[in-house]
Amino acid sequence: MSLNQKLSLEVTEKLNHISEVAGRNASEALSKLTDQKLEVVIMGFEVVSIEDINDVLDADDVVTAVYLEIKGDLNGGIILAFPERSSLSLVDILLKKSDGETVSIDDMAKSVLKETGNILAGNYLAALSNYLKLNALESIPDITSDSAESIMNSLAIEISRHSFEALLFKMNFVVDKAVIKGQMIIFFDSDSAKKMIDALK
Amino acid sequence: MKEKVYLIGMGEYKIASNPTTLVSSGIGSCVVICLYDRTKKIGGMAHAMLPQTPEDYKIDDDEEDGARYVDRAVQLLVSNMKSLGCDSSNMMAKIAGGANMFSTLGTYSREIGENNVEMTKKILAEMGIKLVAESTGGTTGRSVEFNLITGVVSIVTKL
């Protein structure tokens, strides 16, 4: 049975609620970290086939992406992606530099962005684990800059280890009146998604 | 005649004749295989994700997922080009992809890019098709454009 077939209306509503709770938990952490007002749009969840994953990130150009693997009862990954300009502005804020001072993603900038990913992922997964009573821990973060499509292409291969479809949660956020825009995508492989659905029944 | 452009997504393949450009974008660990018969000006592109077709793979699924696996993708390109009158002795191959975008990503995906490239070379050699150019490995994503008028394959990276 495909994942979509397993999603009853009741389970769908509960997953939407989880997405909301965990997303807010993560975004509050980012708001505290940046000391900025944060606008968050929780995009809910969808079941995506592996062939369609390349188009999941809403970006045509280069993005800086932090990736963390999810391990435990649930397996998957979290990707935090910023357009290039946004990632530089975020580093300025986090390192308390003046606007425009950071011009490239050097080792210090990478470290700061990875830590941001760590905090966001940790807060998201803590809320999720607490709600579902399932264990989900994040790995150490990794970072890369490239086209959004290429980054998602590599993640598609990682997901394909387990299945050819994934349960995917999305949230968009805007920091400091649209100076920084970002996306967080959390995906779970097919077996993990089934565990989540069973835990909600 | 107006030039046609086809976008080849993950797991897809396309055979076309001149004047056509085949495009595949956002290639990370996947591998893109371009086959060209210069005498007929017929070519094909496949965007494969994984090296080898599993033993329990249902052949009925081929229509949608034909080029998901490198081994079948190459076979499908060759057999479809032959059905259009091409001869494998006139075919040449150019390949791109197999990058490792995240160094800490699971061992599986770290190796998969490399395995995709190796399997492509193995199958091409078994089928007697000459590999004339490659842009593979590394840590950078690629986009590929295959011009069937000239046989030129262009690689674009974002960085």
Side-chain angles (χ1 to χ4, degrees), chain A residues 70-86:
Chain A
I70 301 170
K71 289 177 177 172
D73 296 330
L74 303 175
N75 291 295
I78 292 188
I79 191 141
L80 179 67
F82 301 96
E84 203 171 26
R85 183 62 247 164
S86 285

Side-chain angles (χ1 to χ4, degrees), chain A residues 50-51 54 60-62 65 67 69 142 144-147 149-151 153-158 160-161 164, chain B residues 10 25-30 47 49-50 65 68-69 101-105 108-109 112 140-142 158-159:
Chain A
I50 206 105
E51 279 86 1
N54 269 21
D60 297 329
D61 214 347
V62 172
Y67 174 74
E69 206 172 345
D142 198 353
T144 193
S145 293
D146 211 305
S147 77
E149 266 190 307
S150 300
I151 288 169
N153 181 276
S154 289
L155 294 187
I157 304 299
E158 181 64 20
S160 71
R161 175 165 49 146
F164 288 102
Chain B
M10 258 199 290
S25 61
I27 305 149
S29 322
C30 285
H47 184 161
M49 301 161 60
L50 298 164
D65 304 322
R68 182 181 277 173
Y69 301 99
M101 311 283 294
F102 290 97
S103 59
T104 59
L105 209 59
Y108 178 80
S109 38
I112 211 85
T140 306
R142 300 167 170 88
K158 289 276 187 183
L159 299 176

Side-chain angles (χ1 to χ4, degrees), chain B residues 14-27:
Chain B
K14 175 88 183 165
I15 311 290
S17 56
N18 187 30
T20 302
T21 297
L22 301 174
V23 178
S24 206
S25 61
I27 305 149

Side-chain angles (χ1 to χ4, degrees), chain B residues 52-65:
Chain B
Q52 193 157 18
T53 310
E55 282 176 13
D56 58 354
Y57 187 68
K58 288 182 200 156
I59 209 87
D60 295 347
D61 293 341
D62 273 357
E63 208 145 351
E64 194 181 349
D65 304 322

Side-chain angles (χ1 to χ4, degrees), chain A residues 9 16 36 44 49-50 102 106 127 134 142 147 174 196 199:
Chain A
L9 184 62
N16 269 324
Q36 302 280 336
S49 88
I50 206 105
T102 302
D106 58 12
L134 290 169
D142 198 353
S147 77
V174 177
M196 290 168 74

Side-chain angles (χ1 to χ4, degrees), chain B residues 23-95:
Chain B
V23 178
S24 206
S25 61
I27 305 149
S29 322
C30 285
V31 66
V32 166
I33 305 135
C34 303
L35 285 194
Y36 190 58
D37 183 327
R38 194 179 289 277
T39 59
K40 302 261 183 207
K41 298 222 183 277
I42 290 174
M45 176 187 275
H47 184 161
M49 301 161 60
L50 298 164
Q52 193 157 18
T53 310
E55 282 176 13
D56 58 354
Y57 187 68
K58 288 182 200 156
I59 209 87
D60 295 347
D61 293 341
D62 273 357
E63 208 145 351
E64 194 181 349
D65 304 322
R68 182 181 277 173
Y69 301 99
V70 167
D71 52 352
R72 279 201 58 77
V74 177
Q75 286 161 4
L76 283 166
L77 284 178
V78 173
S79 61
N80 279 283
M81 284 176 66
K82 279 185 175 174
S83 70
L84 294 173
C86 301
D87 190 292
S88 51
S89 63
N90 291 327
M91 291 182 203
M92 57 182 187
K94 296 179 183 178
I95 63 173

